[in-house]
Amino acid sequence: MKTEEIFFIVRIEVRTEHGHIDETLKEMEKTSRFFITNTPKVKVLTSEILSTKTRNLKNRDHGA
């Protein structure tokens, strides 16, 4: 069996009562859970969530 590294990109839209995105990220990193489980042919060795601050992209002018 060979070892591979796979990256999943996930976009999560949240409604928050926090005043700043930093506070939202801290709360989610502290209390949220994300699970990827083994399959019959794949054994998950490790996983982690890599979080980043992103502003509301829907309101950006993309030159369209």
Side-chain angles (χ1 to χ4, degrees):
M1 184 181 285
K2 63 182 180 176
T3 301
E4 304 268 4
E5 188 170 284
I6 300 171
F7 292 88
F8 290 92
I9 299 173
V10 179
R11 186 181 76 79
I12 302 170
E13 183 176 1
V14 300
R15 179 169 290 152
T16 179
E17 295 180 17
H18 293 293
H20 299 283
I21 190 88
D22 293 333
E23 296 167 344
T24 301
L25 282 173
K26 285 178 187 175
E27 180 176 329
M28 291 187 71
E29 288 172 342
K30 183 178 179 182
T31 60
S32 295
R33 299 291 178 255
F34 177 73
F35 295 101
I36 297 178
T37 58
N38 294 340
T39 69
K41 293 186 178 183
V42 178
K43 180 178 179 182
V44 177
L45 302 177
T46 62
S47 66
E48 66 179 311
I49 296 175
L50 307 173
S51 61
T52 182
K53 294 185 284 187
T54 305
R55 301 298 177 228
N56 191 344
L57 298 177
K58 292 179 187 176
N59 296 329
R60 276 195 183 164
D61 179 9
H62 294 286

